Amino acid sequence: MTSPDSSAPLGVFDSGVGGLTVVRALRELLPNESIIYLGDTARVPYGSKSPDTIRRFSVEDTQFLVSHGVKAVVVACNTATAHALPVLQATFRVPVIGVLEPGVEATLADDSCERVGIIGTAGTIRSSAYQYALAMRKPDLLIHAIATPLLVPFVEEGWTDHPALKSVLKEYLKPLLDKGMDTLVLGCTHYPLLIPVLKRMLGNKVRLVDSASTCAAHTQRMLEEKGLLRTAKGKPTLEIYLTDLAEQAEALAKRFLGTEFGKVKKATL
Amino acid sequence: MTSPDSSAPLGVFDSGVGGLTVVRALRELLPNESIIYLGDTARVPYGSKSPDTIRRFSVEDTQFLVSHGVKAVVVACNTATAHALPVLQATFRVPVIGVLEPGVEATLADDSCERVGIIGTAGTIRSSAYQYALAMRKPDLLIHAIATPLLVPFVEEGWTDHPALKSVLKEYLKPLLDKGMDTLVLGCTHYPLLIPVLKRMLGNKVRLVDSASTCAAHTQRMLEEKGLLRTAKGKPTLEIYLTDLAEQAEALAKRFLGTEFGKVKKATL
């Protein structure tokens, strides 16, 4: 087997368009990289589904990216990372990295962190992947994780400053605040859009950990180590594939990516 | 082609488990019928997806039921009915009926109805299927339809009496109330679980139309006309297939069906 070509694009996938928050961070840190993004919008969300189904979908997503010649794959979805990362790494020859390890590293980057709250989809929380990974590194950490399935629908509805959202957040966060959390891990790639409302609600008492930028730093390090950083001079490209082209998904994609982009292509898995 | 066997089961499908509210109504009205239910929980929801994808999924769902020998198919999903009913009726030989026509009939059953509000998923509302069908029958009707994508997540989270839900409903219903609606069509099979909170909010000013019971009555009439009512003496059966067996879906299924049931089976489409 020949080693991957450094001029090949990076592959990134998510269950939907939330993973574009990771693409945004990747483009800021690695502006010379070409990227192929796959959002499985026909089967979104993954967060409420079973581990078996999440693994099957994730393998199909990665297969799509690999068949498009990517040099590495970033799993920009917490639920897919939590349930499928080991099987993806065992199945595919290209390097595969997820968002969970970067999230754990970002959480522990502040030594004073003692009481951690984690929010995510039902699938991510039920996997206990964050809880295990944090407890392995810092056994005396107090960890409290809760599934917050209503947050993605609010982000997708665009109601990120609505009184109803604040009421939902208050209910979800109460047990975490009662336990005196000093750090809140945003364990879903949709949640960066909630940072403004969370900051207003939590003030400076609670540090918010978003894995997107740490994930981009991980990706950079991995590409460096493997000699896969793109050195080609031509303009890098960004291709976005979605498995379903609903109008709403394209509009959302712009919000998550924070910029305009070319025509979205339809992917069939 | 031989005509279908009246002792065969009725097939019912939905994108998820919401369609079990229709199964509940069918079992009340037609207690001697056997039923095979398919919930496409691996790809739920359909309501946010494109017409093409909804049609493709609906054809696969119907194919599954037909291959299990059903004598007729009930599309217990407003989004699938709105986008796929004509293609299903053109593709399959067994009778196929949806929830939309029964909803329209139930709406117009009260002659005094003048100003109708319709709530449903983005897919159902964007199809304009309810709006057209109502306007065709009663051209002077005032119709106002709005997509209410946050309601299904609240029902699935079980927060059907939470202040946040009331705040969401207030926001969604305001334009309908401002227009003086006298009738509200619940255009999604999840919404019957919101009837108590809606009644408390709207009082007796607004009539609520739920298509589940009218759909059961339609099904009965169709089976009678085609000589397909089950006359066999043996105990009727209920089989539930889901394309994904997440814990949450099974718990939800019990809430929608309103009763216990046997082991859910995994369907692969």
Side-chain angles (χ1 to χ4, degrees):
Chain A
M1 183 209 176
T2 54
S3 56
D5 177 2
S6 68
S7 67
L10 258 181
V12 181
F13 81 86
D14 176 36
S15 59
V17 293
L20 288 168
T21 56
V22 174
V23 171
R24 187 176 184 165
L26 284 168
R27 278 158 53 100
E28 279 166 18
L29 193 68
L30 298 164
N32 199 42
E33 295 296 329
S34 291
I35 293 175
I36 297 184
Y37 181 85
L38 172 67
D40 191 9
T41 47
R43 304 188 291 198
V44 72
Y46 287 3
S48 54
K49 290 161 193 172
S50 68
D52 273 359
T53 294
I54 295 162
R55 278 191 282 273
R56 179 164 65 87
F57 290 172
S58 300
V59 167
E60 290 171 6
D61 297 335
T62 307
Q63 185 61 56
F64 175 89
L65 293 170
V66 166
S67 74
H68 281 70
V70 301
K71 62 185 174 188
V73 170
V74 178
V75 184
C77 171
N78 284 268
T79 308
T81 301
H83 287 292
L85 190 64
V87 70
L88 298 179
Q89 290 175 330
T91 307
F92 296 95
R93 291 204 173 195
V94 297
V96 183
I97 64 178
V99 277
L100 206 138
E101 190 60 30
V104 168
E105 188 183 294
T107 305
L108 301 179
D110 182 340
D111 277 347
S112 67
C113 147
E114 287 179 356
R115 291 159 191 266
V116 174
I118 306 165
I119 55 176
T121 67
T124 298
I125 299 304
R126 215 182 299 121
S127 76
S128 296
Y130 268 109
Q131 297 93 309
Y132 280 124
L134 285 167
M136 289 281 286
R137 306 281 193 82
K138 191 168 179 176
D140 59 344
L141 204 61
L142 290 174
I143 302 169
H144 198 69
I146 46 166
T148 52
L150 283 171
L151 300 185
V152 166
F154 269 96
V155 170
E156 301 212 331
E157 182 70 322
W159 290 15
T160 49
D161 194 36
H162 193 279
L165 171 66
K166 289 174 197 160
S167 166
V168 166
L169 281 171
K170 223 172 130 184
E171 173 102 15
Y172 279 147
L173 297 178
K174 187 172 183 309
L176 302 179
L177 290 168
D178 286 350
K179 292 196 188 314
M181 75 167 160
D182 51 47
T183 306
L184 177 63
V185 179
L186 308 182
C188 173
T189 49
H190 272 73
Y191 297 174
L193 276 74
L194 298 175
I195 290 175
V197 66
L198 285 168
K199 281 202 169 148
R200 278 195 300 281
M201 286 180 68
L202 300 173
N204 293 323
K205 282 183 309 189
V206 179
R207 182 170 60 106
L208 300 180
V209 173
D210 159 29
S211 53
S213 54
T214 331
C215 178
H218 262 241
T219 306
Q220 182 180 39
R221 206 180 316 146
M222 180 270 290
L223 294 176
E224 276 169 5
E225 282 171 12
K226 297 191 183 289
L228 286 175
L229 279 173
R230 182 170 178 271
T231 52
K233 289 277 178 282
K235 195 167 176 258
T237 57
L238 170 63
E239 286 182 277
I240 299 181
Y241 288 88
L242 301 177
T243 55
D244 180 57
L245 299 186
E247 286 165 44
Q248 190 206 8
E250 294 202 38
L252 265 174
K254 289 196 178 73
R255 289 227 321 276
F256 283 109
L257 191 62
T259 173
E260 290 291 320
F261 49 84
K263 206 170 155 46
V264 167
K265 295 173 200 165
K266 173 88 178 277
T268 306
L269 301 188
Chain B
M1 186 210 174
T2 54
S3 57
D5 177 2
S6 68
S7 67
L10 259 181
V12 182
F13 81 86
D14 176 37
S15 59
V17 292
L20 289 168
T21 54
V22 175
V23 171
R24 188 175 182 165
L26 285 168
R27 278 159 52 100
E28 278 165 21
L29 192 67
L30 299 164
N32 198 42
E33 294 297 329
S34 290
I35 293 175
I36 297 183
Y37 181 85
L38 172 66
D40 191 9
T41 48
R43 304 188 291 196
V44 72
Y46 288 2
S48 55
K49 290 159 194 174
S50 69
D52 273 359
T53 294
I54 294 162
R55 277 190 283 271
R56 179 163 65 87
F57 290 174
S58 301
V59 167
E60 291 172 5
D61 297 335
T62 307
Q63 186 60 58
F64 175 88
L65 293 171
V66 166
S67 74
H68 281 70
V70 300
K71 62 185 174 188
V73 170
V74 178
V75 184
C77 171
N78 284 268
T79 309
T81 301
H83 287 292
L85 189 65
V87 70
L88 298 178
Q89 290 175 331
T91 306
F92 297 95
R93 291 201 173 197
V94 297
V96 183
I97 63 179
V99 278
L100 206 137
E101 189 61 29
V104 167
E105 189 183 293
T107 305
L108 301 178
D110 182 340
D111 276 347
S112 67
C113 147
E114 286 178 358
R115 293 160 190 267
V116 174
I118 305 165
I119 55 175
T121 66
T124 299
I125 299 305
R126 215 183 299 121
S127 76
S128 297
Y130 269 110
Q131 297 92 309
Y132 279 125
L134 284 167
M136 290 280 286
R137 306 282 191 82
K138 191 168 181 176
D140 60 343
L141 204 61
L142 289 174
I143 302 169
H144 198 69
I146 45 166
T148 52
L150 283 172
L151 300 185
V152 167
F154 269 97
V155 170
E156 301 213 330
E157 181 71 321
W159 289 16
T160 49
D161 194 36
H162 193 277
L165 170 66
K166 289 174 197 160
S167 166
V168 167
L169 282 170
K170 223 171 130 185
E171 174 102 16
Y172 279 147
L173 298 178
K174 188 173 182 306
L176 302 179
L177 290 168
D178 286 350
K179 292 197 188 313
M181 75 167 160
D182 51 47
T183 306
L184 178 63
V185 179
L186 308 182
C188 172
T189 50
H190 272 73
Y191 297 174
L193 277 74
L194 298 175
I195 290 177
V197 66
L198 285 168
K199 282 202 169 149
R200 278 195 300 279
M201 285 179 70
L202 300 173
N204 294 324
K205 283 184 307 188
V206 180
R207 182 171 60 107
L208 300 179
V209 172
D210 158 29
S211 54
S213 54
T214 331
C215 178
H218 263 239
T219 305
Q220 181 181 39
R221 206 180 316 146
M222 180 270 290
L223 293 177
E224 274 168 7
E225 282 170 13
K226 297 192 184 288
L228 285 176
L229 279 173
R230 182 170 179 270
T231 52
K233 289 276 179 282
K235 195 167 176 260
T237 56
L238 170 63
E239 286 184 277
I240 298 181
Y241 288 88
L242 301 177
T243 55
D244 180 58
L245 299 185
E247 287 164 44
Q248 192 206 6
E250 295 201 38
L252 265 174
K254 290 197 178 71
R255 288 224 324 274
F256 283 108
L257 192 62
T259 172
E260 291 290 321
F261 49 85
K263 202 168 158 47
V264 168
K265 296 173 199 164
K266 173 88 178 277
T268 306
L269 301 186

